[in-house]
Amino acid sequence: MAKPHSLGETLSFFGRWVRNPFLIGAVAPSSAGLARGMSKPVDPAAPGWVIELGGGTGKMTQGALDRGIDPARLLTIEKDPDLYRLLVDRFPDVTIVNGDATEVANIAAAHGASPVKSVISGLPLIGMPIDIRRAIVSGVFQILEPGGAFVQFTYTMVSPVHPTILDELNLTGEWVERIWWNLPPARVWVYRRRDEAASGAGGAAG
Ligand SMILES: C[S@@+](CC[C@H](N)C(=O)[O-])C[C@H]1O[C@@H](n2cnc3c(N)ncnc32)[C@H](O)[C@@H]1O
């Protein structure tokens, strides 16, 4: 089970947020409840890789492992070099990459991460410029296998993937869980290709 935040971890995360609020996007690490909610739509028994965007301090990485996702099929991308090193130390069996989520397709290919069944994202997506959001989401759906899901949380009431991007990429999204015990409270959204969602392919595992 994921450990609760230590005060030091929360303060260090908060300090990072003060220095670079747009990169970090949250004032505290994700709660264990949010980490659980993010991995719930992923079926650990299904074959294929899980890719995590914006690993941060590793709360969602731990949540993915607690869900039963195979560390040998988990690849985490983190842009901040210090957080990257923290993740490497904490999760020696997971593939951790110091890189940019806009390069997700190239990074996955370079590490042989294929097929990809799910992408879970701790990125502060909604605060990013729309071109960056488009690059990230389009990269994600380039590598997601048929039936695959993109899971993203948000602190807002609206979809963190802009409706324009949903239309351009022919995607659909729904929020599946609200996490009250998070700072701030969050919602988990799941995105799929429209044709697959309509045919009921790749439903969320319980
Ligand atoms: C909300 S925080 C991390 C949440 C994480 N689940 C946790 O609790 O620690 C967002 C993370 O995304 C990373 N990040 C922001 N933009 C990124 C990008 N373009 N590519 C990869 N990581 C990025 C930040 O460095 C930060 O660690």
Side-chain angles (χ1 to χ4, degrees):
M1 184 161 157
K3 283 186 290 181
H5 310 151
S6 69
L7 182 62
E9 189 182 353
T10 300
L11 288 178
S12 138
F13 196 90
F14 180 70
R16 228 166 256 291
W17 174 78
V18 169
R19 286 198 296 280
N20 200 339
F22 294 107
L23 184 71
I24 301 299
V27 292
S30 312
S31 65
L34 178 54
R36 264 196 305 278
M38 288 292 292
S39 282
K40 217 187 268 180
V42 182
D43 180 358
W49 284 72
V50 176
I51 296 190
E52 180 192 20
L53 307 179
T57 58
K59 289 287 173 191
M60 282 179 195
T61 321
Q62 186 61 55
L65 298 176
D66 292 345
R67 172 86 171 123
I69 289 161
D70 179 0
R73 295 278 179 280
L74 177 59
L75 184 153
T76 294
I77 301 174
E78 171 53 53
K79 194 173 179 178
D80 181 292
D82 294 337
L83 291 173
Y84 157 74
R85 278 188 287 277
L86 181 151
L87 291 165
V88 168
D89 281 353
R90 194 168 163 196
F91 302 104
D93 299 334
V94 175
T95 304
I96 313 282
V97 178
N98 187 203
D100 196 305
T102 55
E103 291 295 320
V104 59
N106 290 333
I107 292 171
H111 289 82
S114 174
V116 177
K117 61 179 172 182
S118 300
V119 177
I120 58 177
S121 168
L123 296 173
L125 199 66
I126 204 146
M128 293 177 166
I130 193 150
D131 286 350
I132 304 284
R133 284 194 256 175
R134 181 182 286 113
I136 292 169
V137 179
S138 121
V140 164
F141 278 89
Q142 268 172 47
I143 55 170
L144 265 179
E145 67 175 350
F150 173 50
V151 187
Q152 171 74 53
F153 77 91
T154 182
Y155 305 124
T156 68
M157 303 291 286
V158 298
S159 164
V161 177
H162 196 282
T164 306
I165 298 175
L166 294 179
D167 285 343
E168 285 170 2
L169 300 177
N170 206 23
L171 307 176
T172 183
E174 60 174 343
W175 70 269
V176 294
E177 192 163 350
R178 191 186 305 209
I179 317 287
W180 291 108
W181 291 105
N182 192 70
L183 184 65
R187 282 178 192 212
V188 175
W189 281 72
V190 176
Y191 298 91
R192 299 180 187 281
R193 296 180 184 91
R194 277 181 193 165
D195 48 349
E196 293 169 359
S199 69

